Amino acid sequence: GAVVSQHPSRVICKSGTSVKIECRSLDFQATTMFWYRQFPKKSLMLMATSNEGSKATYEQGVEKDKFLINHASLTLSTLTVTSAHPEDSSFYICSARRTSGAKNIQYFGAGTRLSVL
Amino acid sequence: AQKITQTQPGMFVQEKEAVTLDCTYDTSDPSYGLFWYKQPSSGEMIFLIYQGSYDQQNATEGRYSLNFQKARKSANLVISASQLGDSAMYFCAMREVFGNEKLTFGTGTRLTIIP
């Protein structure tokens, strides 16, 4: 399968600081990447769709000024959690869509566990 | 709106036995894709198998097969000859073909393989 790298895998930060998470597709180009949030023992919740060269599309209820998304190249999307607070502590996971006819599989990174103190 | 239902929160299966994980879906779109992902305790989501709504045959990938029953709107995952490494969370997901192709996930099934 395709490889998607997500970094860092774990980050601990103080309340009020900003944290940047990177998502890279290593062996394919991805015009579209997705950012999800997962609470313990829950399913994945889509936060936003990241489109290369254009603004991200945010899901209802997700603060775009809080979760900044940049998709500057066909292999890299970043999520910046601005002025993080303890309630932002969660598991964040990205995916990159690999186009292949009708399939268009989303391949996921390994996730980032964010802990805000 | 799309909806995915996984009714089995947890399953315990003896090693080497086959296991079926249930998934039903609801959509008004005539064209869609169905996916299964595996999430081990490490957290990464591993793509297992894909089934297109117009595919005539059930998808298979090694020990994984998808029992697709379109009229019943079900897409069950079958794992043959289960192994200890199969212990994980399993998520069924559906993708709308038109639009931004975002995935809708079910609530998952935690599978535990017993030695």
Side-chain angles (χ1 to χ4, degrees):
Chain A
V3 180
V4 175
S5 172
Q6 186 172 341
H7 179 80
S9 59
R10 189 179 185 96
V11 58
I12 302 172
C13 69
K14 292 183 178 180
S15 184
T17 59
S18 294
V19 175
K20 180 185 281 188
I21 303 170
E22 292 188 348
C23 182
R24 294 180 184 271
S25 55
L26 297 184
D27 54 353
F28 66 99
Q29 294 183 329
T31 56
T32 305
M33 292 185 176
F34 301 85
W35 288 95
Y36 295 84
R37 183 172 179 174
Q38 186 177 27
F39 292 100
K41 300 187 187 302
K42 298 292 185 182
S43 188
L44 276 70
M45 179 188 77
L46 180 65
M47 298 175 65
T49 302
S50 172
N51 302 297
E52 188 269 335
S54 65
K55 290 183 179 181
T57 305
Y58 289 82
E59 294 300 299
Q60 192 172 7
V62 178
E63 300 176 60
K64 62 180 180 181
D65 295 330
K66 172 78 171 173
F67 300 99
L68 299 179
I69 290 173
N70 184 277
H71 194 155
S73 78
L74 288 172
T75 59
L76 174 64
S77 175
T78 60
L79 168 69
T80 300
V81 183
T82 62
S83 187
H85 288 95
E87 57 265 29
D88 299 324
S89 298
S90 191
F91 187 69
Y92 295 87
I93 190 166
C94 71
S95 72
R97 187 189 71 182
R98 183 173 192 171
T99 54
S100 176
K103 283 190 174 184
N104 293 347
I105 307 295
Q106 282 188 34
Y107 292 95
F108 284 80
T112 297
R113 193 163 302 280
L114 172 63
S115 299
V116 184
L117 305 179
Chain B
Q2 299 185 2
K3 185 177 180 181
I4 294 282
T5 303
Q6 294 181 254
T7 57
Q8 306 153 310
M11 287 189 68
F12 291 86
V13 173
Q14 203 75 37
E15 189 181 7
K16 299 181 183 177
E17 289 187 352
V19 55
T20 298
L21 305 181
D22 295 340
C23 174
T24 57
Y25 61 92
D26 189 24
T27 180
S28 57
D29 292 332
S31 187
Y32 49 88
L34 296 159
F35 303 77
W36 277 92
Y37 286 88
K38 172 184 178 181
Q39 188 177 40
S41 56
S42 57
E44 62 183 313
M45 292 283 284
I46 302 168
F47 165 71
L48 295 178
I49 197 166
Y50 165 85
Q51 179 84 43
S53 59
Y54 291 117
D55 291 345
Q56 295 296 314
Q57 293 186 328
N58 288 343
T60 60
E61 290 285 349
R63 294 188 298 114
Y64 304 108
S65 60
L66 200 151
N67 184 1
F68 181 46
Q69 297 187 42
K70 195 170 183 177
R72 298 180 60 184
K73 292 189 175 181
S74 74
N76 299 339
L77 176 70
V78 179
I79 306 175
S80 63
S82 58
Q83 303 170 357
L84 295 178
D86 294 332
S87 295
M89 279 291 287
Y90 288 81
F91 290 96
C92 180
M94 179 165 59
R95 181 201 73 206
E96 56 189 34
V97 174
F98 301 106
N100 66 4
E101 297 193 6
K102 60 184 180 182
L103 291 176
T104 301
F105 284 88
T107 51
T109 296
R110 180 167 295 282
L111 175 65
T112 302
I113 307 299
I114 305 167

